[in-house]
Amino acid sequence: MAQTTANTGMELADRAVGFLLSLISISIFTYYTFWVIILPFVDSDHFIHQYFLPQEYAILLPVFAGVALLCFLCMFVGFVMLKSKKKKA
């Protein structure tokens, strides 16, 4: 019985984390889509422009994030390969 209660609590925590990650992802997607697709058609003196970075960052931020992700992925794969090599020896 205690095992079932612990699993239910953990399942609820997993759902909460999943919901939070989904909410953050949807928020970032909506913000970026509005920034890149809709904002160029809004007058430059409109007040909404104060909530967004300059257009140059619309390309620089995703490129930087992609390069950082690729670097971390390569480091992780290298670490796993080194660890598995030590295990065999």
Side-chain angles (χ1 to χ4, degrees):
M1 185 73 169
Q3 181 78 16
T4 307
T5 306
N7 287 343
T8 305
M10 190 64 105
E11 184 178 310
L12 185 61
D14 288 344
R15 284 184 182 214
V17 169
F19 178 75
L20 183 64
L21 288 174
S22 296
L23 190 66
I24 290 171
S25 297
I26 290 171
S27 299
I28 290 172
F29 176 76
T30 304
Y31 179 88
Y32 187 80
T33 301
F34 188 82
W35 180 26
V36 172
I37 295 176
I38 298 174
L39 203 62
F41 298 108
V42 177
D43 291 335
S44 60
D45 59 346
H46 198 273
F47 76 93
I48 197 75
H49 281 276
Q50 69 186 5
Y51 299 111
F52 295 91
L53 292 172
Q55 286 295 125
E56 296 84 29
Y57 291 107
I59 299 298
L60 291 176
L61 288 176
V63 167
F64 178 74
V67 168
L69 181 68
L70 188 63
C71 287
F72 286 123
L73 182 64
C74 289
M75 286 175 29
F76 175 74
V77 168
F79 178 72
V80 168
M81 288 173 63
L82 285 174
K83 198 168 186 173
S84 69
K85 194 176 241 186
K86 285 181 183 177
K87 204 177 214 182
K88 287 183 180 180

